[in-house]
Amino acid sequence: TPEADKPEFNIYIANDYGFCGNFNSEVGRRIRKDNDAYKIIIGKKIVYNGDEVLLKINKDDFFKRFGEIEECVENAIKSMNYSKINVFYNHYYSMSSFEFLKIQLFPVEFKGEYYDGEDFVAETDMNSLLSSLISFYICYELKMCECISYAAENVLRTQITSSALEKLEEKEQEAYETYKLFLYGLIAGIIGIIAYVYINHDREYQTAFNVPYLRDIPNHYSPTTVSYLFNRKITEDSISAEILNLINKKLLWMKVV
């Protein structure tokens, strides 16, 4: 059992990308709170460079560089330099339920019952065997926590993305409604301008002429009379028209002798 006054050894699992709510901020706040604890930080989005950081890797490189994490865990177990080994991560319960958790990995909390029988004999260094088993257990739990954290990250990002897309659609609808109002206002303005110009500049003025409008001369004046009224003289054309008018009235005719 490690000594209680020794510092803790914490492993923090964040992620490499944003757009997933307070996923990384929870981890960042916990890291800054644990000033005296030695740390392994997993996740590119976490910005922290304290002297107590033993290892910092990207989450995408978790399995590629897991040997380095395993080495740190084995050294911690063999040296007993830490009072506890904890892991902090976002735990996925369901599509709508997440929780930022702390799990104590060492000392191992055994909740079962011990067997007092003597069914087997171990011919080995028990301290080395137990250290290996505990290291194996801690590494197994870390892999499980990483997978669960990855599930929580993806589901949370999907939810936020869906929410963002819905908001974008709402904004597009608002913009479309605004555009329609602007277009309707523009059309109404153009119609108003046309009506104003027509009423004030292009409309035919009303006159006070109440006498019936006649297209032709009202009396049956002869062509020569009309010519005189308009031109103040009788022209040759009016005389020709007068002859045709007399013929039309059958007052003048030609007779062959």
Side-chain angles (χ1 to χ4, degrees):
T1 302
E3 298 176 8
D5 59 345
K6 290 185 176 181
E8 295 185 2
F9 176 26
N10 295 335
I11 301 167
Y12 306 90
I13 302 177
N15 64 46
D16 294 340
Y17 310 103
F19 210 53
C20 54
N22 63 346
F23 193 97
N24 294 305
S25 59
E26 289 281 356
V27 179
R29 280 193 292 268
R30 186 67 199 195
I31 290 174
R32 289 186 291 272
K33 183 178 179 181
D34 300 335
N35 292 325
D36 299 329
Y38 286 83
K39 305 170 177 66
I40 291 179
I41 300 175
I42 302 167
K44 183 168 60 177
K45 294 292 289 185
I46 300 300
V47 180
Y48 186 84
N49 297 306
D51 295 334
E52 68 279 6
V53 177
L54 302 177
L55 180 65
K56 188 175 186 301
I57 64 174
N58 295 341
K59 193 172 186 179
D60 286 345
D61 298 331
F62 178 80
F63 289 100
K64 293 179 182 178
R65 300 181 61 183
F66 191 77
E68 299 175 48
I69 300 175
E70 192 173 13
E71 183 179 354
C72 291
V73 171
E74 289 176 353
N75 292 335
I77 298 300
K78 290 178 181 178
S79 64
M80 290 290 177
N81 288 332
Y82 309 105
S83 59
K84 293 180 181 179
I85 298 178
N86 307 303
V87 59
F88 294 86
Y89 72 105
N90 287 276
H91 188 82
Y92 166 81
Y93 292 108
S94 66
M95 292 291 292
S96 59
S97 178
F98 309 92
E99 184 180 8
F100 183 66
L101 287 185
K102 170 188 175 182
I103 296 179
Q104 179 179 312
L105 301 179
F106 181 78
V108 179
E109 296 179 345
F110 181 70
K111 298 180 181 180
E113 296 180 356
Y114 288 99
Y115 175 68
D116 297 330
E118 299 180 356
D119 292 343
F120 60 90
V121 176
E123 296 182 355
T124 185
D125 183 356
M126 290 303 299
N127 288 331
S128 177
L129 177 61
L130 288 175
S131 296
S132 298
L133 288 174
I134 293 173
S135 297
F136 178 80
Y137 162 74
I138 292 174
C139 290
Y140 170 79
E141 287 291 329
L142 286 177
K143 289 181 178 180
M144 289 296 298
C145 290
E146 193 278 338
C147 291
I148 295 172
S149 171
Y150 190 75
E153 171 190 347
N154 284 338
V155 172
L156 185 59
R157 182 175 290 114
T158 300
Q159 291 178 349
I160 293 176
T161 302
S162 300
S163 177
L165 290 175
E166 290 176 358
K167 290 182 179 179
L168 284 175
E169 290 179 357
E170 292 177 1
K171 292 295 183 182
E172 288 180 356
Q173 185 63 29
E174 291 177 2
Y176 177 68
E177 294 297 331
T178 303
Y179 169 75
K180 286 200 302 184
L181 290 176
F182 170 76
L183 185 61
Y184 293 157
L186 181 62
I187 293 173
I190 293 173
I191 294 175
I193 292 173
I194 293 173
Y196 174 81
V197 171
Y198 172 75
I199 293 173
N200 292 277
H201 301 283
D202 192 55
R203 187 178 61 174
E204 294 183 0
Y205 289 101
Q206 299 294 329
T207 64
F209 183 77
N210 296 322
V211 180
Y213 178 77
L214 301 175
R215 294 182 177 276
D216 299 316
I217 297 174
N219 294 318
H220 300 286
Y221 294 123
S222 64
T224 53
T225 304
V226 173
S227 176
Y228 184 79
L229 290 174
F230 276 91
N231 302 315
R232 292 292 186 269
K233 64 180 179 178
I234 297 174
T235 63
E236 295 179 358
D237 292 337
S238 63
I239 294 174
S240 298
E242 182 69 32
I243 295 172
L244 293 175
N245 182 49
L246 293 174
I247 294 172
N248 182 54
K249 291 181 177 181
K250 300 185 183 301
L251 297 178
L252 180 67
W253 66 89
M254 294 180 64
K255 183 177 180 182
V256 179
V257 179

